[in-house]
Amino acid sequence: MRGADDEVSQEISSMDACKIADGEFDDDGRSKRTGTVWTASAHIITAIVGSGVLSLAWGIAQLGWITGVATLLIFSGISLYASGLLADCYRAPHSGGRNRTYRDAVKSYLGGTKYKVCGSVQYVLLVGMMVGYTITASISMVAIQKSNCFHKGHRADECKFSNNPHMIALGIFETFLSQIPNFHRLSWLSTIAAIMSISYAGIGMGLAFAKVVSGKSETTSLTGVEIGPDFTAADKTWGMFRAIGNMAFACAYLQILIEIQDTLKSSPPEIQVMKKANVIATLTATTLYMLCGCFGYAALGNHAPGNMLAGFYEPFWLVDLANFFIVVHLLGAYQVVAQPVFNAVESWASMRWPKSKFVMNEYPLSMGKNNFNFSVNLFRLTWRTSFVVMTTLLSMALPFFNEVLALLGALAYWPLTVYFPLEMYIARKIIKKGTSRWFGLQLLNLVCFLSALAAAASSIQGLNQALHTYKPFKFTH
């Protein structure tokens, strides 16, 4: 997709120049960007605080109090540091032009080969995340259905439900949301999703805190789950690897950072605003992670489930509300991670068929008494609808895709969150090999690579177990 990320090199007409002077367009000839530190923070929180926050109690149970808390703080610090380096790469090194995508930045600083590798890893991960979000949201919808079934006094065998109808409903809803043309129009959805993520994390934390203060908390330890007759040393090792991977990926959002930065207004400078948004979002996410993880482990102990909400049954309406918030959040998160994929295909199509009315024409529509303005593009309508249908079918066909997503996350974490930002920083600052700064950066690179490798190994082991019970299009809880 050569045209997806290439810098637009055509001359701006005198009319466009006048519009730039009047403030209607930005310096690259595109519509004026309106993003602020708060909209960028909302986008990041929507992407970073996924339902994975509810698995952190399980993660700390695998690692124990000391190692678990330290690991979470270390990976949060790494993501914050790397996000600052990547934000500095928004402007091209010589021309000062905008790098509108992550791939653009890699091409500007590191060249074409790494640009292609980066794009492949980024888009595969983003598509995988969308499939994972669909599966996770359907699980929360089934959890609500099961909770109400149990509350009515039905037996466990009477309260098993298929995830497929819920996935279809989610796919239909995402089809409509996917017509939001770009990140600039997505701020309201990201704000709602960010509020939802904080809300369900707060409910989980509140339920755990209530259990701790009531004196009904379970046993915890400094080293986490203890080896015994039903839990071997191998189980402990795989669990620790998987927990490290979960914590690393919970803190990662750099795969869409540049695309978020491209929504910001030119003044104050985008780099300064993005770094503030990185700090706000990372501190917010880390605080939620620490509170949920620590309170969850304190309440549920060494047998904490993978989803903290599964450890609580009453009040059932509050648990149902938390699961509903998860569904709403993931609907928004799906759109946030989809935007780079949508933009890549549509930019390529516009470069490939610049005179096609099907690809290029926008048809304005007005809706409601307030004349809500919206435009329809036939290519966008067709391609995005087809894409959502594909991800929905994939979610239904591969019920164990969360294990696949864990593997994709393990493979993508190191290059996207650490390797490329550090390499671009070295190129930008012209840091020579063999210097103390170069060795320090390479040490950080190696540590994160080994962590991702360990997480990938544990994901493969979990995937191997899931394949033994694999039944396509049969996903029930």
Side-chain angles (χ1 to χ4, degrees), residues 247-291:
M247 291 181 180
F249 312 142
C251 301
Y253 65 93
L254 274 69
Q255 62 269 18
I256 58 171
L257 185 147
I258 295 291
E259 285 81 355
I260 293 174
Q261 192 169 355
D262 192 48
T263 68
L264 297 175
K265 294 186 290 188
S266 300
S267 180
E270 309 93 350
I271 293 173
Q272 295 179 14
V273 176
M274 194 65 202
K275 287 185 176 180
K276 289 181 182 178
N278 288 334
V279 172
I280 292 170
T282 303
L283 288 179
T284 301
T286 303
T287 301
L288 283 174
Y289 289 168
M290 291 297 295
L291 291 173

Side-chain angles (χ1 to χ4, degrees), residues 312-391:
F312 303 99
Y313 302 99
E314 294 292 343
F316 85 99
W317 62 268
L318 189 59
V319 178
D320 285 354
L321 187 63
N323 278 302
F324 173 75
F325 287 159
I326 290 174
V327 174
V328 176
H329 168 249
L330 292 179
L331 285 171
Y334 182 106
Q335 294 302 319
V336 169
V337 301
Q339 285 302 320
V341 180
F342 291 160
N343 178 66
V345 173
E346 288 156 20
S347 297
W348 170 80
S350 64
M351 294 290 287
R352 179 67 177 81
W353 298 290
K355 297 182 180 180
S356 170
K357 293 183 179 180
F358 178 76
V359 173
M360 302 301 295
N361 280 16
E362 295 281 345
Y363 300 95
L365 296 175
S366 295
M367 300 173 62
K369 296 180 180 179
N370 297 324
N371 290 327
F372 173 72
N373 294 321
F374 189 77
S375 64
V376 174
N377 174 277
L378 295 179
F379 177 74
R380 183 170 64 236
L381 177 64
T382 304
W383 127 252
R384 293 191 181 190
T385 300
S386 301
F387 179 82
V388 173
V389 170
M390 180 202 71
T391 57

Side-chain angles (χ1 to χ4, degrees), residues 104-128:
D104 280 343
V106 172
K107 187 175 184 179
S108 295
Y109 286 91
L110 303 178
T113 301
K114 291 182 179 179
Y115 155 82
K116 294 177 182 177
V117 173
C118 171
S120 300
V121 173
Q122 181 189 16
Y123 294 133
V124 168
L125 175 63
L126 292 176
V127 173

Side-chain angles (χ1 to χ4, degrees), residues 19 65 84 95 108 118 125 162 168-169 175 179 186 198 354-355 398 419 433 466 476:
K19 289 183 177 180
W65 280 115
S95 66
S108 295
C118 171
L125 175 63
S162 172
I168 293 171
T175 299
Q179 296 309 309
L186 206 61
I198 293 172
K355 297 182 180 180
L398 302 177
Y419 175 75
K433 289 184 179 181
T476 58

